[in-house]
């Protein structure tokens, strides 16, 4: 928010206890609170949407079926039949991120996907599951991937560390991509909202000039709606790609 003549664009990401004295005692911030809200909303959407089980679906049932089919096709299309085992994980991951991205656009809400601790935890979970899947489907042959096929053996001291670093960078890039996009979008929204308040305090001409940042914020909100679903999709499809490498031998 704008404070006097300054704009605190990063204040919206600060964590503080919620739920009064109980939150203080439990160190329960708005981040886990909105995670719980997101989980409840997604489960309610799926339960209420699929409850009618109509042959000719209504709008909510159609939306739930489209979401289910979209992620199912993504998992099976990327991983093959082995994707069936990982579909629930990818489905939950996609909607958890999507709900977090969209909840943050509501007034007085919080975007938990704008915290690197959250996105890194999700990325590390994907990373560990992909390693376990690799060991399950490939056994010790998994470690052969760190030495490119056909490369001279004498280059192994150089190539193996490079391949290991490239592999270990996956959770870093996966988490930073989501975190950075969410932070950048919300900072821009806060900055232009602050400009609107500052210009409005300049009188008649200020009110006229304030129209420009309002229009920009409307466009940014539309862009954030697109970025929210795109980032959830990118996270999900990269997860599928990593798992495909794990199960494809």
């Amino acid at each position: 928010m704008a404070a006097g003549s300054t704009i605190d664009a990063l204040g919206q990401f600060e964590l503080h206890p919620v739920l009064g004295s109980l939150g203080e005692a439990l160190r329960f911030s708005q981040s886990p609170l909105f995670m719980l809200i997101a989980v409840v909303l997604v489960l309610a959407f799926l339960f209420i949407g699929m409850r009618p089980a109509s042959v000719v679906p209504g709008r909510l049932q159609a939306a739930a079926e489209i979401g289910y089919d979209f992620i199912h096709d993504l998992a099976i299309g990327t991983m093959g039949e082995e994707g069936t085992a990982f579909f629930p994980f990818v489905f939950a991951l996609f909607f958890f991120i999507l709900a977090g991205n969209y909840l943050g656009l509501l007034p007085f809400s919080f975007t938990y996907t704008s915290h690197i601790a959250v996105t890194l935890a999700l990325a590390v979970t994907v990373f560990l599951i992909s390693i376990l899947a690799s060991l399950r489907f490939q056994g010790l042959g998994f470690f052969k991937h760190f030495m490119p096929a056909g490369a001279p053996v004498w280059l192994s001291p150089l190539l193996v560390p490079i391949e290991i670093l490239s592999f270990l960078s996956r959770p870093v890039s996966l988490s930073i991509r989501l975190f950075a996009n969410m932070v950048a979008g919300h900072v821009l929204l806060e900055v232009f909202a602050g400009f609107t308040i500052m210009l409005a305090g300049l009188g008649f001409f200020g009110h006229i000039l304030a129209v420009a940042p309002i229009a920009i914020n409307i466009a940014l909100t539309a862009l954030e709606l697109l970025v929210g679903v795109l980032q959830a999709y990118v996270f999900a499809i990269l997860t599928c790609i990593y798992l495909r490498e794990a199960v494809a031998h």
Side-chain angles (χ1 to χ4, degrees):
M1 292 297 293
S5 59
T6 63
I7 300 174
D8 182 16
L10 298 178
Q12 59 183 309
F13 305 114
E14 293 180 0
L15 296 175
H16 54 79
V18 294
L19 305 180
S21 58
L22 178 62
E24 288 277 0
L26 298 176
R27 304 293 183 185
F28 190 76
S29 68
Q30 67 269 39
S31 182
L33 173 63
F34 277 93
M35 289 184 197
L36 291 175
I37 292 174
V39 170
V40 170
L41 288 177
V42 171
L43 290 177
F45 163 67
L46 295 173
F47 177 76
I48 298 173
M50 296 305 298
R51 190 175 183 180
S54 303
V55 177
V56 180
R59 293 180 181 179
L60 197 60
Q61 181 180 338
E65 290 179 354
I66 289 172
Y68 180 95
D69 289 338
F70 175 71
I71 303 301
H72 184 268
D73 292 343
L74 178 67
I76 301 301
T78 306
M79 291 180 274
E81 290 303 318
E82 290 88 351
T84 304
F86 298 102
F87 161 68
F89 172 66
V90 178
F91 183 86
L93 197 63
F94 174 83
F95 277 98
F96 181 74
I97 294 173
L98 182 66
N101 294 348
Y102 279 175
L103 273 177
L105 295 175
L106 299 176
F108 309 108
S109 62
F110 184 81
T111 312
Y112 54 79
T113 49
S114 66
H115 271 221
I116 188 65
V118 175
T119 60
L120 183 60
L122 295 174
V124 168
T125 301
V126 172
F127 183 68
L128 292 177
I129 289 178
S130 67
I131 291 178
L132 293 175
S134 297
L135 294 174
R136 164 66 177 81
F137 286 93
Q138 302 180 37
L140 296 179
F142 160 69
F143 296 100
K144 295 179 181 179
H145 297 296
F146 296 115
M147 181 59 187
V153 177
W154 61 270
L155 282 177
S156 59
L158 176 64
L159 294 178
V160 171
I162 291 175
E163 290 294 326
I164 292 175
L165 285 176
S166 176
F167 184 74
L168 294 177
S169 69
R170 287 181 174 184
V172 177
S173 62
L174 196 61
S175 59
I176 290 179
R177 182 184 294 106
L178 175 58
F179 151 76
N181 276 279
M182 292 300 103
V183 169
H186 284 73
V187 165
L188 287 175
L189 287 171
E190 187 80 10
V191 167
F192 284 105
F195 283 156
T196 303
I197 297 173
M198 293 168 61
L199 290 172
L202 300 179
F204 175 74
F205 289 105
H207 284 77
I208 295 176
L209 294 175
V211 173
I214 291 175
I216 292 174
N217 253 10
I218 293 174
L220 284 174
T221 301
L223 181 61
E224 280 297 288
L225 289 172
L226 177 62
V227 169
V229 68
L230 280 179
Q231 287 304 311
Y233 172 74
V234 168
F235 206 102
I237 195 169
L238 287 176
T239 298
C240 290
I241 290 173
Y242 296 156
L243 292 173
R244 179 192 64 187
E245 293 178 358
V247 302
H249 302 281

